[in-house]
Amino acid sequence: MTTSTALDSFLDKWRTRWPEWQVAEPFVPEAQRTLVVAWFSLLQEFDDILNTSGDPMPADAKLAWWGEELRSWAAQRSRHPLGRMLEPVRAPWAELAQALPDLIEARAVPVDPAQAQRALQAYGAAVAAVEAVMFETPARGDVATPVVLQTLAQRLHEAGVAAVPRSLLADDDGNATHRWGQQLLRNWPARVAGPRPRRLYASLARTRQQAWSQGQELKATPVRTLLRTWWAARG
């Protein structure tokens, strides 16, 4: 498999998971579009590692490999197809690598919602710092928390009750996942801070979380998605 074909396979995997992006993508400058999808594809790799089920050792080994890979990008020694696209950006890759082990700790059931957010705060800050450089948008406001909330929402969708804080499991009424989903939404503004690609991605993810938390199918018609992402793109 050539490097180009391997890269396309990772990009296509993310696009398949996020078909709504084809409506949002025109709001991203054309020169940035492949870079944006490569970056979100990398974050999806980290989400998959966080939300692994069964024996965690292979996922943990993969995460350690990613840490080494990110540290090598400063010297332009990438080995992964996504690295060929991302490493030219002089972003704080080493700081992101340093935060990756937090994903392993974040698999543990948190005591309460506050602990769930704290467990991923350094990771969220590292992701936001990379995005500030990558998309040439100085960080203004709280740019880390929306990343954390989106990561927690994805974890809830993938892991179900295993992702719910213990304090919300105290009432054994079968609605703990719903309560946690609703709490994430309350803390997650409809329009977040950060560069435009993050605002667009967060808008799509929050819409999914609204549907999931209500036990409904996602009704993301092109018109609704267009209006929602246009509003997010305005900043």
Side-chain angles (χ1 to χ4, degrees), residues 18-221:
W18 292 90
E20 311 97 300
W21 185 253
Q22 65 182 328
V23 177
E25 190 171 50
F27 293 111
V28 177
E30 188 172 359
Q32 286 188 345
R33 290 176 188 173
T34 302
L35 180 69
V36 169
V37 176
W39 169 239
F40 291 154
S41 297
L42 178 62
L43 295 184
Q44 186 66 66
E45 291 291 304
F46 299 154
D47 279 339
D48 289 347
I49 291 170
L50 168 63
N51 300 320
T52 190
S53 58
D55 181 5
M57 290 184 65
D60 294 350
K62 186 176 183 180
L63 192 69
W65 184 92
W66 270 116
E68 295 176 1
E69 174 74 355
L70 290 174
R71 291 184 179 92
S72 76
W73 289 2
Q76 297 183 309
R77 294 197 303 267
S78 64
R79 295 166 290 175
H80 196 278
L82 291 174
R84 305 288 194 274
M85 176 63 61
L86 296 170
E87 76 166 14
V89 180
R90 300 293 86 194
W93 300 118
E95 287 80 354
L96 178 58
Q98 187 174 350
L100 290 185
D102 290 356
L103 298 178
I104 297 175
E105 299 299 323
R107 287 195 206 116
V109 179
V111 172
D112 53 32
Q115 187 185 53
Q117 289 196 41
R118 284 197 302 272
L120 288 168
Q121 197 65 30
Y123 171 74
V127 167
V130 169
E131 292 182 349
V133 175
M134 182 176 295
F135 305 127
E136 301 177 352
T137 305
R140 294 188 180 93
D142 184 357
V143 291
T145 298
V147 176
V148 172
L149 293 172
Q150 185 168 334
T151 304
L152 289 172
Q154 183 67 30
R155 175 153 178 73
L156 177 60
H157 180 64
E158 296 290 338
V161 71
V164 178
R166 287 195 184 93
S167 63
L168 300 181
L169 293 170
D171 296 325
D172 187 16
D173 57 4
N175 290 322
T177 55
H178 176 77
R179 288 197 299 274
W180 182 218
Q182 288 294 324
Q183 184 159 342
L184 290 172
L185 285 172
R186 285 195 297 271
N187 295 330
W188 190 351
R191 183 157 52 190
V192 305
R196 180 176 289 183
R198 169 56 56 183
R199 299 197 306 271
L200 294 169
Y201 193 16
S203 176
L204 298 179
R206 191 179 187 279
T207 300
R208 284 192 176 191
Q209 178 59 29
Q210 285 179 305
W212 293 336
S213 65
Q214 295 167 4
Q216 300 174 352
E217 288 188 21
L218 179 65
K219 298 178 180 179
T221 66

